[in-house]
Amino acid sequence: MKPFIVLIPGMMCIRDVFSSQINNLEKKFNVIVKEFNDHRDIELGVKNLASNLPSEFHLLGHSMGGIVAMELVRQHSERVLSLALLNTNPYEEKKGQRDRRNKTLKQLDALDLISLMKSDYISRYFPSDCKDKNKLIEKCVAMASTLNKEVFYNQSVALRDRSDQTTTLRNLNCKTLLVCGENDKLCPVSYHFDMKKMIKRSEIIVLEGVGHMPLLECPKILKNHLKNFYFN
C-alpha cells in the first residue's frame, strides 16, 4: 500500500492550488487534501483534523497551511514521516499585522469579500514582473470565490491568535524541505533561513524571481524539487 501524504492549502485556497502537483505525487502517495476552513483556533482545529488522518503520513503545507502543519507536527510528531513547508511563517502574529487584521474583521460585514481579497491579499502574492500575473490572480480569485466570509473570518482569527512554533521546529526530527520565493512579500526568505537553522534535518530552496505562490507561478520547477525530495 502506498504511503499517505497530507496537503494543506493556504488562506482562502482550496484543493485546486495543488492541482499541478497532485498527479505527480499520486505516483508514490495516496494524496489527502485537508482545507482548514471551519476552526478559529489552530490548536483545537488540528486536534480535530488529526483524528481523521492515517496513523502515519508525509505532510506538506503552504502559507497558512504550513502554520497548520507545524501545529500538527507539534501535537503528533511521531506520526509525521516528512515535512515540507512552502512560503510560511513560524512566528506568532506581529502587533501591526494583528491590528490591521482586527480592523478588517470589524468591517467585514460591510466589505465585498472578493474585492478585499484582491486588494489586501492577492495583489501581494505575485511580483510585479510575474509572467501571466493577471491569469494567476484570476485563479486565486476563483478559489476564494468558492469560499465565504465565514471561512475568511475563521482563518483570520486562527492566524491572528496562532502560537509561535520555533520550539516545535527545534524539536523536529523528520526530514524537512523548506521552499520560499525570492520575492515573497508575505513570508520572506529570511523566515525560511531562520527555520533552516532551527530544524536538524532540513534543506532549503529559494525560487528565483518567485513570490508567495510557487504552486501557481512555477509549478514545473516546484514539481522537480518535490520529486527530488520525495522520490530520491
Side-chain angles (χ1 to χ4, degrees):
M1 182 177 178
K2 290 190 287 189
F4 291 93
I5 186 167
V6 177
L7 312 180
I8 309 177
M11 183 177 182
M12 298 299 284
C13 290
I14 60 175
R15 179 187 178 92
D16 292 7
V17 78
F18 295 117
S19 60
S20 295
Q21 307 303 323
I22 287 176
N23 286 344
N24 186 55
L25 291 172
E26 283 180 334
K27 296 173 184 176
K28 181 170 182 176
F29 300 108
N30 288 306
V31 176
I32 300 170
V33 179
K34 288 289 186 181
E35 298 172 20
F36 197 85
N37 298 341
D38 302 325
H39 298 279
R40 298 178 184 179
D41 183 296
I42 288 178
E43 182 177 349
L44 293 178
V46 164
K47 287 180 180 178
N48 178 268
L49 176 68
S51 67
N52 296 300
L53 293 178
S55 59
E56 289 186 328
F57 49 88
H58 299 265
L59 181 59
L60 182 153
H62 172 254
S63 194
M64 181 182 180
I67 292 170
V68 173
M70 285 183 269
E71 177 61 24
L72 188 48
V73 169
R74 188 188 72 80
Q75 294 185 26
H76 297 281
S77 61
E78 75 286 352
R79 296 171 62 185
V80 179
L81 301 173
S82 73
L83 177 64
L85 297 173
L86 281 57
N87 305 79
T88 194
N89 182 343
Y91 302 115
E92 66 182 2
E93 185 140 280
K94 295 178 180 178
K95 183 181 184 304
Q97 177 60 33
R98 189 182 301 121
D99 291 344
R100 288 190 293 274
R101 202 183 293 279
N102 283 334
K103 182 179 179 181
T104 298
L105 292 177
K106 287 179 181 178
Q107 300 172 343
L108 185 58
D109 285 345
L111 297 174
D112 177 77
L113 180 60
I114 298 306
S115 296
L116 172 64
M117 284 299 303
K118 290 177 76 170
S119 64
D120 289 17
Y121 295 85
I122 298 170
S123 63
R124 301 169 62 206
Y125 290 171
F126 306 103
S128 57
D129 59 351
C130 174
K131 184 181 178 183
D132 298 324
K133 182 176 180 178
N134 289 337
K135 187 182 296 184
L136 298 181
I137 286 173
E138 288 309 309
K139 285 187 178 182
C140 292
V141 168
M143 287 190 287
S145 297
T146 68
L147 303 172
N148 56 36
K149 286 185 178 180
E150 182 178 4
V151 173
F152 179 90
Y153 190 95
N154 291 344
Q155 293 181 340
S156 296
V157 172
L159 285 170
R160 181 194 68 191
D161 298 341
R162 69 183 184 266
S163 298
D164 180 279
Q165 294 288 0
T166 56
T167 299
T168 301
L169 298 182
R170 290 191 178 100
N171 292 332
L172 187 61
N173 290 311
C174 67
K175 74 170 186 173
T176 302
L177 177 66
L178 303 166
V179 178
C180 55
E182 178 186 30
N183 297 324
D184 191 339
K185 296 179 181 178
L186 281 75
C187 299
V189 171
S190 60
Y191 289 1
H192 298 79
F193 277 101
D194 290 349
M195 290 189 280
K196 176 74 171 68
K197 293 175 183 176
M198 297 172 200
I199 303 170
K200 301 178 189 74
R201 300 171 57 200
S202 63
E203 58 181 288
I204 187 168
I205 293 164
V206 180
L207 298 169
E208 184 177 355
V210 174
H212 188 63
M213 299 293 287
L215 288 160
L216 302 180
E217 293 174 67
C218 57
K220 291 182 180 179
I221 293 172
L222 181 60
K223 183 186 296 184
N224 287 334
H225 288 303
L226 294 179
K227 186 175 179 180
N228 288 335
F229 182 66
Y230 290 120
F231 291 68
N232 292 339

